Amino acid sequence: MKSTEQVLSELVKEGYSIVDGLAPSALITGIGKALEASLSELSYGQNSFVGTKTKRMHSLFGKLRELDELAVNKEILAIAEALLGDVILGASVATQIFPGERKQSFHYDDGIYPLPKNYGEVKLGVMWAIDDFTEDNGATIVISQSHGKRGKYNSLKDIQERVIAMPAGSALLYVGSLWHAAGENRTNKPRLGVILQYVDSWLRPQDSHLISVQIEEAKKLGPKLQALLGYSMRQPFLGYVDGINPINLLSD
Ligand SMILES: O=C(O)CCC(=O)C(=O)O
C-alpha cells in the first residue's frame, strides 16, 4: 500500500493518485449489493453531463449505512487532512454507468465554488471502485497535471488523458481542480463507483447533510462521521447552534 507521503506527493505533482486494495472485498461486495438494489429503482439522467445511460444516487448517508466505513477510512482522512486541513464531507454520489453510455465532458469539481483561478486546493475527491474499473467499462478518465488550471477546457495544453483502470476496492484520489470525466462504457455490464468528496470545513458543502441526515439518524453514527457530516464546528466560531457545538445535540 502506498504511504500517505507518496499519495500526497502524487496529488501535488499529478493531481491524482490511485490506491489499490484499500477496502476489504467483503465490505465492497456489501456496498455493491445495497447500492444496486437502490439504484434499480432510479431512472437514467436527463442530459449528457449526468449521462443518459447513467444512474446516480446522491445523499448516500441519508439512505444507506453500508458506506459509513468508507467515509471514515483512516488512510483517506489522513491524506485529506494533510492536504486541506480540517475537512467535512462535501458530497456523496454513486454513479452507475450502463452499456452504451458516452464519455462525459471534462470538468473539475471545485468549479462549483467562485474561487480565483489560481486559488489553492479546497477539495479532495475519492472515487471508490465498487466494480472493477477497466479501459472499456467507463473507468474515470483524468488529465494528468491539469490541476491548478481552472478556466476553459480549450485553454489546456499538453493534454495527457489517463484511464483509471483499478480493481474493486481501490480508490482514485483527485484534487478538486483536476480535469476529469466518466468514461464510455463499451461493455455489456454496468460499472459502479462511489464518489466521496471532502472539502475545507469553512466551505458550504455541496450536499446539505444536516437535512439529508437529521439529528435522530445522526445520533446512531460514530463521532467521526457525525463530525464529517457537519455536526461539528470549525474553530473558533463556524457552524455553531445557539453558540454551542452541534455535536452536543447528538448526546441525550
Ligand atoms: O463516474 C465517474 O467516473 C466520474 C463522474 C464525475 O466525475 C462526475 O459526475 O462529476
Side-chain angles (χ1 to χ4, degrees), residues 46-119:
Q46 298 291 311
N47 61 58
S48 62
F49 185 76
V50 293
T52 53
K53 291 203 172 124
T54 295
K55 293 186 179 183
R56 284 166 190 264
M57 192 161 74
H58 301 269
S59 301
L60 301 176
F61 298 101
K63 295 176 178 152
L64 302 166
R65 292 278 56 89
E66 281 81 356
L67 291 147
D68 292 2
E69 210 176 315
L70 290 190
V72 297
N73 178 282
K74 283 199 170 50
E75 283 83 8
I76 296 286
L77 286 180
I79 293 159
E81 285 165 5
L83 186 76
L84 304 171
D86 190 47
V87 290
I88 52 176
L89 274 166
S92 57
V93 190
T95 60
Q96 191 178 31
I97 300 181
F98 283 76
E101 181 61 276
R102 312 282 295 273
K103 186 171 92 52
Q104 189 183 34
S105 56
F106 281 109
H107 60 281
Y108 49 91
D109 289 342
D110 68 18
I112 59 169
Y113 295 118
L115 299 169
K117 278 186 181 178
N118 56 359
Y119 201 84

Side-chain angles (χ1 to χ4, degrees), residues 16-65:
Y16 71 95
S17 177
I18 304 162
V19 184
D20 277 341
L22 191 51
S25 58
L27 175 65
I28 293 298
T29 305
I31 290 172
K33 282 193 181 135
L35 282 175
E36 273 162 24
S38 302
L39 284 158
S40 68
E41 310 283 320
L42 302 183
S43 311
Y44 293 137
Q46 298 291 311
N47 61 58
S48 62
F49 185 76
V50 293
T52 53
K53 291 203 172 124
T54 295
K55 293 186 179 183
R56 284 166 190 264
M57 192 161 74
H58 301 269
S59 301
L60 301 176
F61 298 101
K63 295 176 178 152
L64 302 166
R65 292 278 56 89

Side-chain angles (χ1 to χ4, degrees), residues 102-146:
R102 312 282 295 273
K103 186 171 92 52
Q104 189 183 34
S105 56
F106 281 109
H107 60 281
Y108 49 91
D109 289 342
D110 68 18
I112 59 169
Y113 295 118
L115 299 169
K117 278 186 181 178
N118 56 359
Y119 201 84
E121 297 301 337
V122 296
K123 186 182 257 206
L124 178 72
V126 182
M127 166 58 95
W128 287 94
I130 307 302
D131 292 323
D132 291 339
F133 278 30
T134 70
E135 290 274 337
D136 291 326
N137 76 353
T140 311
I141 305 169
V142 300
I143 303 184
S144 304
Q145 302 184 6
S146 64

Side-chain angles (χ1 to χ4, degrees), residues 171-188:
L172 161 69
L173 285 71
Y174 55 105
V175 297
S177 69
L178 187 81
W179 291 84
H180 66 280
E184 176 178 356
N185 190 341
R186 296 183 291 271
T187 70
N188 58 9

Side-chain angles (χ1 to χ4, degrees), residues 210 215 230-233 237-250:
L210 301 182
I215 292 178
Y231 290 94
S232 51
M233 269 177 70
F237 303 131
L238 208 55
Y240 61 67
V241 181
D242 205 10
I244 60 161
N245 190 324
I247 200 84
N248 291 302
L249 303 176
L250 303 184

